[in-house]
Amino acid sequence: MQETVKVVKFGGSSLADAEHFRMVEQIVRAEPERRYVVPSAPGKRSSGDTKVTDMLYECYNLASRGGNIDEAFQRIIDRYELIIQGLGLTLDLSEEYATIKASFKLHAGRDYAASRGEYLNGIVLSKLLGIDFIDAANVIRFKEDGSFDDDTTDSILHAELQRHYRAVIPGFYGSMPNGTIKTFSRGGSDITGSIVAKAARAALYENWTDVSGVLMADPRIVENPQGINYITYHELRELSYMGFSVLHEDSIFPLRKAKIPINIRNTNDPSAKGTMIVPNGSSIPDEKHVITGVAGKKGFTVLHIEKAHMHSEIGFARRVLEAIEDEGITFEHLPSGIDTMSVVLSGEITGEQRSRILNAICVSCLPEYIGFEDGLALVAVVGRGMVNNKGTAARVTSAVASAGINIRMIDQGSSEISIILGVDEKDFETALRVIYEEFVK
Ligand code: ASP
């Protein structure tokens, strides 16, 4: 019978000081299945503190400007030494520090610099746990174009894990075909955790952070929102796209095919079950509420187009989208009616881009009306419970309408697990609150 393997990833706040390292040690030792451990770099110890990754970026910037890095580098060393001494470990990292400092002076690269936070933390944690250290540079690979090399990594890493019954693999980085270090985007240790879970053929990926799971709404907007017990990958994708930031967005992809669940746990409260993120909803108990979560974002722009019988004109939408594509802009949503079409765009669109888009569409589509409108906020109401549940959209819209909010756009994806509303930015927070209250309170 195959043994159960769990991969555990600890975020920066879980490894910010010696006291947290001790908690991590207890968590790992509590279950023998927790065989592979992926650490981030030490995070903030208090709100005014600086993450080691940011200290490394800053120090490297100084080095690349030809400045003296002695003090800035010493502050980084001090963070690790405080942890090592606090844990009472016999560990001499002076050679590592010297190599890193010399490489900074030789301008070894920003990614190299940032990666050293997890690299050093991995060494400290493997010493504390008394298990092997696997340098991520040897097992996580990127392609020539900078994208992650899934297949090569999976075969190298799978083979390497077979050689180590337990190991620490630092998060956030890997290497390019020429051996130089490359990092994922910020928060990327989550992705490393997923990659390791996949390569270990793990039964579970535990992602330990400083919150007891995913909340149904942003606590800065909704007071004391309830936690989510179970959420599917698909639901989480929809919510993360709208600003939920529990887990790095890209960390779901490696696990999707492998169908490995993720458990978000709290290092400061290990007895809390946290949130279970699962491949599909069929195996999980029904939730109390029809919706799983509600989230949203401000800062969208809509391009409105009107023309009688546009729906019967072949290639109309393609020509509209081509004008947007030519400006290197992607679109977020495309709600359309018989004679109207709206393209929802995010990010800044310059005045010049706007006039080129308008001109191109005027020439290719001859619309009766066309214009940009700024200041749109999108709210996504997400829930697998909405599928086949009649009246959910009506409840959403009437809750928003009774708060006196005008809905500028509404869109329901074909999978029926999300309803997207467009409202004025000034109504954003209220819309989120009333929707939450409609379904939860
Ligand atoms: N240390 C990196 C960052 O601060 C990666 C991570 O923590 O996941 O972005």
Side-chain angles (χ1 to χ4, degrees):
M1 201 185 80
Q2 237 194 330
E3 266 187 274
T4 307
V5 180
K6 290 183 184 174
V7 170
V8 283
K9 181 260 168 182
F10 293 92
S13 55
S14 303
L15 294 162
D17 52 26
E19 199 189 323
H20 279 89
F21 265 76
R22 283 275 177 234
M23 297 179 183
V24 165
E25 184 190 9
Q26 275 185 15
I27 291 168
V28 175
R29 292 196 194 283
E31 288 189 24
E33 297 85 14
R34 294 182 175 141
R35 284 172 37 192
Y36 300 111
V37 186
V38 177
S40 284
K44 293 182 181 191
R45 291 159 295 185
S46 58
S47 58
D49 201 12
T50 312
K51 282 175 150 195
V52 165
T53 309
D54 292 316
M55 295 168 87
L56 287 160
Y57 277 127
E58 223 172 276
C59 184
Y60 187 74
N61 286 345
L62 192 59
S64 38
R65 289 197 302 269
N68 181 333
I69 62 168
D70 289 352
E71 268 180 38
F73 199 81
Q74 189 56 46
R75 281 198 291 275
I76 296 166
I77 295 180
D78 291 346
R79 287 283 314 253
Y80 287 100
E81 288 304 307
L82 205 61
I83 294 171
I84 293 168
Q85 280 158 25
L87 294 170
L89 294 177
T90 318
L91 176 64
D92 180 6
L93 289 179
S94 50
E95 262 181 47
E96 297 286 356
Y97 299 143
T99 310
I100 298 170
K101 192 171 176 187
S103 309
F104 272 42
K105 290 185 179 162
L106 290 171
H107 304 169
R110 247 174 85 76
D111 282 14
Y112 166 81
S115 73
R116 297 304 87 184
E118 321 343 69
Y119 172 78
L120 292 172
N121 230 18
I123 298 178
V124 177
L125 190 57
S126 70
K127 178 81 181 175
L128 176 69
L129 297 171
I131 62 177
D132 297 344
F133 172 78
I134 300 175
D135 186 352
N138 299 331
V139 288
I140 306 273
R141 297 293 169 86
F142 289 89
K143 294 182 193 160
E144 209 68 68
D145 65 4
S147 62
F148 169 60
D149 190 342
D150 194 358
D151 293 340
T152 310
T153 299
D154 197 64
S155 63
I156 297 176
L157 184 54
H158 180 69
E160 188 65 12
L161 295 179
Q162 307 269 285
R163 288 192 277 276
H164 303 266
Y165 190 77
R166 296 181 188 282
V168 171
I169 307 102
F172 193 37
Y173 70 94
S175 61
M176 293 290 289
N178 68 3
T180 54
I181 297 290
K182 174 159 175 59
T183 62
F184 292 106
S185 56
R186 293 302 302 265
S189 298
D190 283 344
I191 308 175
T192 310
S194 302
I195 294 166
V196 174
K198 181 179 169 219
R201 316 293 184 246
L204 183 66
Y205 169 31
E206 290 180 345
N207 191 298
W208 291 79
T209 168
D210 53 6
V211 289
S212 293
V214 188
L215 299 172
M216 289 186 74
D218 185 339
R220 288 166 302 185
I221 301 174
V222 171
E223 210 188 307
N224 217 355
Q226 290 189 13
I228 300 173
N229 299 325
Y230 290 93
I231 183 169
T232 64
Y233 287 171
H234 193 164
E235 289 173 305
L236 187 70
R237 275 282 299 150
E238 299 267 352
L239 289 168
S240 346
Y241 162 72
M242 279 297 173
F244 255 52
S245 61
V246 222
L247 202 66
H248 192 296
E249 255 198 283
D250 294 343
S251 47
I252 306 237
F253 294 109
L255 299 179
R256 216 172 189 153
K257 263 199 249 146
K259 297 198 163 49
I260 298 170
I262 309 171
N263 191 192
I264 308 284
R265 301 285 294 264
N266 188 351
T267 302
N268 303 313
D269 184 10
S271 61
K273 286 202 171 76
T275 300
M276 200 54 127
I277 307 167
V278 294
N280 60 61
S282 57
S283 56
I284 54 184
D286 280 345
E287 294 285 342
K288 263 205 326 256
H289 311 297
V290 175
I291 66 165
T292 305
V294 53
K297 265 203 296 209
K298 292 182 183 177
F300 292 92
T301 299
V302 198
L303 175 64
H304 292 290
I305 303 154
E306 282 177 31
K307 185 176 184 184
H309 309 296
M310 70 160 66
H311 70 290
S312 56
E313 247 184 70
I314 289 174
F316 191 92
R318 180 182 49 76
R319 292 195 295 275
V320 168
L321 294 179
E322 209 165 57
I324 295 166
E325 184 186 334
D326 286 348
E327 293 301 321
I329 297 171
T330 55
F331 76 90
E332 310 290 324
H333 291 278
L334 200 62
S336 62
I338 319 177
D339 298 331
T340 63
M341 174 174 170
S342 305
V343 191
V344 180
L345 309 165
S346 75
E348 216 214 316
I349 306 156
T350 65
E352 282 169 13
Q353 284 180 313
R354 286 172 195 236
S355 47
R356 281 197 298 264
I357 291 172
L358 294 178
N359 280 338
I361 297 175
C362 282
V363 173
S364 65
C365 300
L366 306 172
E368 279 148 21
Y369 169 81
I370 181 163
F372 281 101
E373 203 181 348
D374 290 305
L376 183 81
L378 294 185
V379 176
V381 189
V382 175
R384 57 188 182 282
M386 293 180 347
V387 182
N388 299 327
N389 195 315
K390 293 186 194 72
T392 313
R395 279 176 76 185
V396 172
T397 49
S398 66
V400 173
S402 5
I405 296 171
N406 176 34
I407 299 174
R408 283 171 48 188
M409 181 208 101
I410 181 157
D411 198 9
Q412 177 167 32
S414 53
S415 63
E416 278 187 54
I417 71 153
S418 74
I419 296 172
I420 316 271
L421 296 185
V423 297
D424 276 338
E425 284 180 346
K426 67 168 174 35
D427 296 325
F428 173 67
E429 284 84 4
T430 315
L432 235 131
R433 243 175 258 133
V434 294
I435 294 170
Y436 177 84
E437 277 159 17
E438 165 67 28
F439 289 95
V440 181
K441 294 220 167 120

